[in-house]
Amino acid sequence: MGRRAALAGGAALPLLGGQAEAQQARDTLRIVFRDGVPNVDPYFNSQRTGLILAHQGWDCLVHRDPSDFSIKPLLATAWNWLDSKTIDFTLRQGVTFHNGDPFTADDVVYTFNTVSNPETRTATPSNYSWIDRAEKTGEHAVRIHLKRPTPAALDYFALVYPIWPKAYRERVGADGYARAPVAAGPYKITANNPGASIEYERYDGYYEGSPKGKPAIRRLSIRFVPDAATELTELLSGRTDWIWNINPDQLPNLERIPNFRVARQESMRVGYMTMDSAGRTGAGNPLTKLPVRKAILHAIDRQTIATRLVQGGSRVPPAPCYPSQFGCDAEAAVQYEYDPAKARALLAEAGYPNGFDTEIVSYILPQWGSAVQNYLQAVGIRARLTQLQVAAAIQRSQEGRAPMYLGSWGSYSINDVSSFMPTWFGGGGDDYFRDAETQRLLEEGGSTNDEAARRRAYSAAIRRVTEQAAFVPVHTYVNAYGYVRNLEFQTWADELPRFFWAKWR
């Protein structure tokens, strides 16, 4: 594949310059992702691509500056904590949605009260379950009541609470809104073919004073392709201008082609594997036995996967969270070194001296999934690798049909354990541990502003999860970007490409 990619790049060189200039003349940035988003409404998909798409078209109450994670005004111009569970927002005046409707407090109240209602069935309920209610205190003023103190509340408000237009969404319904969304962000969606393509155009009515600013590039044309090879081919052949998460093995070839730029950036994303310790896929599942799960952790050489496959400075997270997140206590985590002999002994202790058959459901790069599969095979665990598209894999996991599951989690870029651990251990669809004590500790850690108490609760949860070998943090992600040379584009550690800040050179 490396040689074929290099040849393809060389063959495309006479054409690429002209194609890139043509797109610049049309003022259209063509973008390709390989995980089709079936529902572009940000509350109804849990994909990183969905979050990226949302931030181009929707605005939240506040904005988090990616350079220093400071919170700045966006749809709200000011905020004030009345107590640990009540916050007032003053809303920006003169803002309109993409259909011309004025933005008011009614839109904020409608959005918050709808998504915090469990009957709404958002894709990631833990992001919204801590909201009690929102109330209107003026035409451009709202009060948000929390069920419990939530120290990372403003980060959530900045990243995962885009505002819906109440009148429009009520008129067209949830399905109609998903097909033809209207929002208040810097770009408006002009065409939406779910899972296939989305077209954006700069919203010329976007308000002054936004830290996002008015986009320099007029149009975004986004398509979804099935795999990494197709994605790279689209770039090399001149049919797209930007891709990311390139297979690291392909980067040297791409870097040698003068028409392209390559950038690497470690992100807050963690590659992980869950194991069905709760027996959701069957009571006789070997993964319900602690020695088996410990054997799996000893069987996988995670450091080699990080160093040689992911590359670019990837690390093995010592705990089931991203190292910089508040409460991610590496010292509390039980560590499992790579030791195939110990893995085989543990399997024999559990009653599987000849190993067993199981299945890994995955949407990550096939090469990385195959590496995990091969490490398990070496100690006798014969794991069939089922490679699916992202949305299909997520659905299967949430339905409890994934004995082992390889995925990645970027925490919606929120630098707090509350955006990581409750997803996998909080009792929701992705929880294959189902441990009441861990759920209690996570609830305790997320229910106070006392930093010391939070740390104690999260450390205890990390200790319990790792003692029970309930989760495999495999590596951190290093995003690899490839894009045409005449595009000015900056990467950020929060893994949110901001196309509204991109420019043509």
Side-chain angles (χ1 to χ4, degrees):
M1 181 60 191
R3 172 180 283 182
R4 286 165 52 198
L7 291 172
L13 285 176
L15 183 62
L16 287 176
Q19 287 189 345
E21 290 166 6
Q23 295 311 311
Q24 184 171 351
R26 297 188 185 103
D27 212 2
T28 299
L29 175 59
R30 300 166 303 164
I31 299 159
V32 163
F33 293 105
R34 61 174 176 270
D35 52 340
V37 176
N39 187 337
V40 74
D41 186 331
Y43 290 106
F44 297 101
N45 71 77
S46 60
Q47 296 163 240
R48 171 58 49 159
T49 297
L51 185 66
I52 294 166
L53 298 178
H55 279 267
Q56 318 309 315
W58 280 261
D59 272 2
C60 299
L61 290 180
V62 292
H63 170 82
R64 194 181 72 179
D65 189 320
S67 63
D68 60 6
F69 282 16
S70 61
I71 301 295
K72 296 181 176 179
L74 197 56
L75 287 176
T77 57
W79 51 93
N80 178 47
W81 285 98
L82 303 183
D83 55 46
S84 63
K85 297 193 293 183
T86 313
I87 181 170
D88 279 352
F89 285 96
T90 302
L91 305 182
R92 192 181 297 271
Q93 299 186 37
V95 174
T96 59
F97 290 101
H98 298 150
N99 64 348
D101 287 352
F103 163 70
T104 71
D106 292 327
D107 303 300
V108 178
V109 170
Y110 167 73
T111 301
F112 275 67
N113 288 343
T114 302
V115 301
S116 61
N117 183 344
E119 294 181 3
T120 302
R121 301 180 67 83
T122 57
T124 309
S126 60
N127 282 346
Y128 317 108
S129 61
W130 48 276
I131 297 291
D132 182 21
R133 70 188 189 283
E135 63 175 313
K136 178 179 177 178
T137 56
E139 191 63 20
H140 291 91
V142 296
R143 179 167 294 165
I144 309 296
H145 299 270
L146 314 185
K147 294 178 182 176
R148 58 181 185 269
T150 306
L154 286 172
D155 270 14
Y156 282 93
F157 291 155
L159 293 162
V160 296
Y161 273 87
I163 303 304
W164 283 327
K166 177 179 186 289
Y168 175 74
R169 191 173 185 273
E170 285 187 331
R171 185 169 69 251
V172 301
D175 291 341
Y177 185 78
R179 289 192 297 270
V182 166
Y187 282 105
K188 62 182 180 181
I189 292 177
T190 57
N192 176 28
N193 185 2
S197 64
I198 301 174
E199 302 290 328
Y200 289 83
E201 186 170 334
R202 182 173 59 219
Y203 179 46
D204 290 332
Y206 192 54
Y207 53 92
E208 298 290 340
S210 166
K212 290 182 175 180
K214 293 190 176 181
I217 297 175
R218 185 162 192 83
R219 299 179 188 85
L220 306 177
S221 180
I222 295 171
R223 291 182 295 114
F224 303 113
V225 297
D227 52 49
T230 305
E231 191 176 52
L232 183 60
T233 299
E234 291 293 295
L235 182 67
L236 293 172
S237 62
R239 291 192 291 269
T240 194
D241 306 306
W242 184 98
I243 65 174
W244 77 333
N245 290 335
I246 304 165
N247 184 339
D249 292 344
Q250 301 299 331
L251 291 177
N253 292 325
L254 193 57
E255 287 173 323
R256 286 194 290 268
I257 303 175
N259 298 69
F260 299 113
R261 295 177 184 270
V262 171
R264 294 177 179 87
Q265 175 78 58
E266 188 189 27
S267 73
M268 293 175 62
R269 179 167 298 276
V270 172
Y272 66 86
M273 186 169 72
T274 59
M275 299 175 286
D276 185 18
S277 55
R280 293 174 65 187
T281 58
N285 185 347
L287 300 166
T288 59
K289 297 186 177 183
L290 178 58
V292 169
R293 299 195 301 275
K294 288 183 175 181
I296 288 168
L297 276 154
H298 285 299
I300 302 170
D301 189 347
R302 293 177 285 163
Q303 187 60 58
T304 293
I305 290 175
T307 304
R308 297 187 182 177
L309 290 184
V310 185
Q311 304 177 30
S314 173
R315 298 173 283 166
V316 177
C321 40
Y322 184 74
S324 74
Q325 290 178 315
F326 178 90
C328 189
D329 183 3
E331 297 300 319
V334 177
Q335 302 301 321
Y336 297 86
E337 74 281 2
Y338 174 53
D339 189 338
K342 191 169 187 177
R344 285 188 285 268
L346 284 164
L347 288 174
E349 174 190 328
Y352 302 100
N354 299 316
F356 58 89
D357 296 303
T358 187
E359 180 187 21
I360 301 173
V361 176
S362 173
Y363 61 76
I364 67 170
L365 281 174
Q367 299 92 319
W368 299 356
S370 294
V372 172
Q373 180 188 37
N374 290 337
Y375 281 123
L376 296 179
Q377 175 71 35
V379 299
I381 300 174
R382 298 169 295 279
R384 182 176 73 259
L385 185 61
T386 301
Q387 190 78 25
L388 299 174
Q389 293 294 307
V390 177
I394 290 172
Q395 180 179 353
R396 183 160 169 186
S397 171
Q398 292 181 341
E399 291 173 351
R401 298 190 295 117
M404 304 173 79
Y405 180 71
L406 278 171
S408 69
W409 188 248
S411 300
Y412 289 92
S413 302
I414 295 166
N415 203 31
D416 193 279
V417 162
S418 66
S419 62
F420 195 109
M421 291 188 69
T423 303
W424 316 113
F425 313 110
D430 289 302
D431 185 353
Y432 281 81
F433 189 32
R434 303 282 167 147
D435 179 66
E437 176 62 10
T438 301
Q439 293 173 28
R440 185 193 68 76
L441 289 167
L442 293 176
E443 181 76 15
E444 181 181 324
S447 301
T448 177
N449 285 328
D450 183 329
E451 289 194 0
R454 296 190 75 214
R455 291 184 190 278
R456 283 195 299 271
Y458 286 140
S459 294
I462 288 169
R463 168 65 63 170
R464 186 167 180 84
V465 166
T466 55
E467 281 180 340
Q468 293 297 309
F471 190 83
V472 186
V474 183
H475 59 82
T476 61
Y477 266 66
V478 176
N479 297 123
Y481 303 79
Y483 50 95
V484 292
R485 184 160 290 274
N486 62 329
L487 179 67
E488 185 177 312
F489 173 80
Q490 184 169 355
T491 66
W492 301 98
D494 67 2
E495 200 184 31
L496 275 177
R498 291 162 170 85
F499 299 117
F500 46 80
W501 286 344
K503 300 176 182 178
W504 296 117
R505 294 181 183 275

